[in-house]
Amino acid sequence: MKKAIALLLTAGMTLSLAACGSASKSSSASSAASASSAAAESTSVSAAGTSASASGDIKTVTSGELHMATNAAFPPYEMTDDNGGYTGIDVDIATEIAKELGLKLVVDDMDFSSVITSVQSGKEDIAMAGITVSDERKQNVDFTDSYATGVQSVIVPEDSDIKSVDDLSNDKMIGCQEGTTGYIYASAEPKDGGFGEDHVVAYTNGAMAIQALLGGKVDAVIIDNEPAKAFVAQNKGLKILDTDYVTEDYAIGVNKKNTALRDAINTILKKLIADGTVQSIIDKYINADSSSESVSTSSASVSTSSVSSAS
């Protein structure tokens, strides 16, 4: 069975995590973008700056803009704010990247299943949705260096007889969000560390999986740790197992043909990690005492009606 390992710390330094906050958005909006029939809502975030892209060295889908494909239901990485805009760790990091590139960030919200394909097809510039690097996804897009690490956690009822990840193999039914690494890991055959497709139910989003757990339709839910904590805080009678399931690296997806943009983002990420910008953004959204997130050396209570896992 796969077990999570200790998270990496940037440059060997211990990183603290604290408090919550939000990013601002401008009043402009872009048209919807999606690689499938799913509708995509857009919002623009102002980002002024100077870089090579301003002189045309970096090509983007729309001149002067950096389009970010995301699924804005994955707190604290991406979510909607009270004003209908977008906020979160990924949005703030993307905003800083856009500033360095001299571009305006445009956040395009869509189904998670469309995030990678929208970049692959050239409709979006970057994919950021708490996306885990995997061999399968590498076939469709290139990835930047990792900017954060996280874990997959297991949620069960407080009175559950499931005490560890190993107990999930005892004919239990597991809920996951479709298309996520949690689903991929869990639905793999036992010989590959999973539980088999017959024991995993895929839901459109994490909220639906949690509702199924509360209704007794599944015995556990596997989801990213930060959304897991939000769901448990919002719903009495649930808990997170002390043992993690899988450790992951988060990175930014870029079209395979746009190597100039990928390389430019990698240069910017190195700078933002080295000067502490990425860590300060993480500090805004994740509590130091309970966090399992950290910047990679290469990464509030939320209603179940609006939250899903998107890794």
Side-chain angles (χ1 to χ4, degrees):
M1 183 59 55
K2 297 180 180 178
K3 301 290 185 179
I5 60 175
L7 298 178
L8 298 175
L9 298 179
T10 300
M13 298 171 60
T14 301
L15 303 172
S16 62
L17 306 167
C20 294
S22 64
S24 62
K25 106 175 173 59
S26 73
S27 59
S28 62
S30 71
S31 59
S34 174
S36 67
S37 59
E41 297 178 353
S42 303
T43 184
S44 296
V45 181
S46 296
T50 59
S51 73
S53 68
S55 62
D57 293 339
I58 303 297
K59 302 298 182 183
T60 56
V61 173
T62 302
S63 179
E65 298 178 347
L66 181 69
H67 280 255
M68 168 186 166
T70 195
N71 175 235
F74 180 51
Y77 282 87
E78 38 270 317
M79 50 200 167
T80 56
D81 60 26
D82 293 338
N83 298 317
Y86 300 107
T87 186
I89 293 171
D90 283 350
V91 177
D92 283 11
I93 291 175
T95 298
E96 293 300 321
I97 290 172
K99 287 179 181 179
E100 292 290 331
L101 291 172
L103 302 172
K104 178 174 67 176
L105 179 67
V106 179
V107 178
D108 293 324
D109 186 19
M110 61 190 70
D111 288 344
F112 181 73
S113 59
S114 297
V115 172
I116 292 290
T117 54
S118 67
V119 172
Q120 180 185 13
S121 64
K123 294 182 178 180
E124 299 283 331
D125 297 307
I126 61 173
M128 280 185 88
I131 297 174
T132 303
V133 179
S134 69
D135 291 338
E136 181 180 356
R137 289 169 178 166
K138 285 181 179 179
Q139 295 177 17
N140 300 315
V141 296
D142 281 348
F143 281 101
T144 65
D145 295 336
S146 176
Y147 61 89
T149 57
V151 299
Q152 290 285 321
S153 294
V154 182
I155 303 175
V156 297
E158 289 182 342
D159 59 355
S160 174
D161 61 353
I162 299 172
K163 306 302 181 185
S164 71
V165 174
D166 290 334
D167 293 334
L168 293 173
S169 60
N170 299 329
D171 294 326
K172 302 296 185 181
M173 292 302 298
I174 304 163
C176 301
Q177 180 182 342
E178 61 185 4
T180 63
T181 49
Y183 174 78
I184 294 171
Y185 296 141
S187 61
E189 292 302 312
K191 64 181 180 63
D192 297 318
F195 308 99
E197 290 185 356
D198 292 343
H199 294 284
V200 181
V201 181
Y203 294 93
T204 303
N205 53 53
M208 293 179 65
I210 292 297
Q211 290 168 358
L213 178 62
L214 292 169
K217 296 180 179 179
V218 296
D219 300 297
V221 168
I222 293 177
I223 196 170
D224 293 72
N225 191 57
E226 288 304 318
K229 289 191 290 187
F231 282 129
V232 170
Q234 186 69 20
N235 298 277
K236 293 182 179 180
L238 299 180
K239 66 178 181 180
I240 299 173
L241 293 185
D242 291 335
T243 54
D244 302 324
Y245 183 44
V246 177
T247 301
E248 307 171 305
D249 290 320
Y250 294 158
I252 302 169
V254 183
N255 188 284
K256 284 182 172 293
K257 296 180 180 179
N258 203 347
T259 55
L261 178 60
R262 180 203 64 200
D263 293 345
I265 291 176
N266 274 337
T267 298
I268 293 169
L269 280 176
K270 286 182 174 66
K271 173 187 174 183
L272 296 178
I273 290 173
D275 67 14
T277 299
V278 170
Q279 185 60 50
S280 67
I281 290 171
I282 292 175
D283 288 348
K284 285 174 57 179
Y285 296 96
I286 300 179
N287 184 278
D289 294 331
S290 59
S291 172
S292 62
E293 308 292 317
S294 69
V295 178
S296 171
T297 53
S298 354
S299 122
S301 176
V302 183
S303 170
T304 56
S305 64
S306 61
V307 183
S308 66
S309 168
S311 67

